[in-house]
Amino acid sequence: MGTVKDMLATYPADLGNIDQNKLTRCIEACVACAQACTACADACLSEGMVGDLTKCIRTDMDCADICNATASVLSRHTGYDADITTALLKACAVACKACGDECASHADMHEHCRLCAEACRSCEEACNDLLTAMA
């Protein structure tokens, strides 16, 4: 996914002191996590025991929405507000942890949950790494 890095490189104004590699990784992780969560929720809906996966589906959908919003905000720099970005990154890390934990609890039975948990863990780490770099 070189597109994120390429787009950041074309930004006409100075992006400031933000670590562009960590920013790129975070945006990419958010997009990948949102996709994994959306696909996992849909796969859960196709399972015969869908009633047992209600919390997983809801957590997947919440996490996907938060990851999409985080990727969008991180991709915009005009009128940048560090407080909003920090709050969103924290929320994204919390959502990814919750979703990763929930999906991990079903990973032995459902491969889609295992893969989703991995994507959530990666996104949580990327958000926390970017938060640390911004501090």
Side-chain angles (χ1 to χ4, degrees):
M1 280 177 64
T3 304
V4 173
K5 187 173 185 170
D6 292 345
M7 288 303 294
L8 289 174
T10 67
Y11 195 73
D14 183 12
L15 292 176
N17 293 329
I18 194 160
D19 183 322
Q20 288 192 30
N21 288 328
K22 289 184 180 184
L23 176 61
T24 298
R25 180 174 168 253
C26 192
I27 293 169
E28 290 173 346
C30 286
V31 170
C33 189
Q35 188 281 326
C37 289
T38 299
C40 186
D42 187 62
C44 286
L45 288 169
S46 296
E47 294 290 350
M49 55 191 294
V50 69
D52 295 337
L53 297 169
T54 303
K55 183 177 179 187
C56 190
I57 295 164
R58 185 180 321 276
T59 307
D60 279 335
M61 293 169 50
D62 289 347
C63 191
D65 287 345
I66 292 168
C67 286
N68 278 322
T70 302
S72 293
V73 169
L74 291 176
S75 296
R76 295 190 290 263
H77 304 285
T78 304
Y80 172 77
D81 186 320
D83 291 336
I84 292 172
T85 302
T86 299
L88 198 49
L89 283 167
K90 287 178 181 177
C92 192
V94 168
C96 287
K97 176 162 181 18
C99 191
D101 289 349
E102 179 61 28
C103 282
S105 73
H106 304 286
D108 289 344
M109 292 180 58
H110 306 291
E111 180 69 4
H112 53 84
C113 287
R114 185 189 67 75
L115 293 170
C116 187
E118 286 180 8
C120 288
R121 301 286 187 239
S122 179
C123 190
E124 177 188 8
E125 181 181 316
C127 287
N128 285 327
D129 286 349
L130 185 56
L131 277 166
T132 300
M134 291 171 56

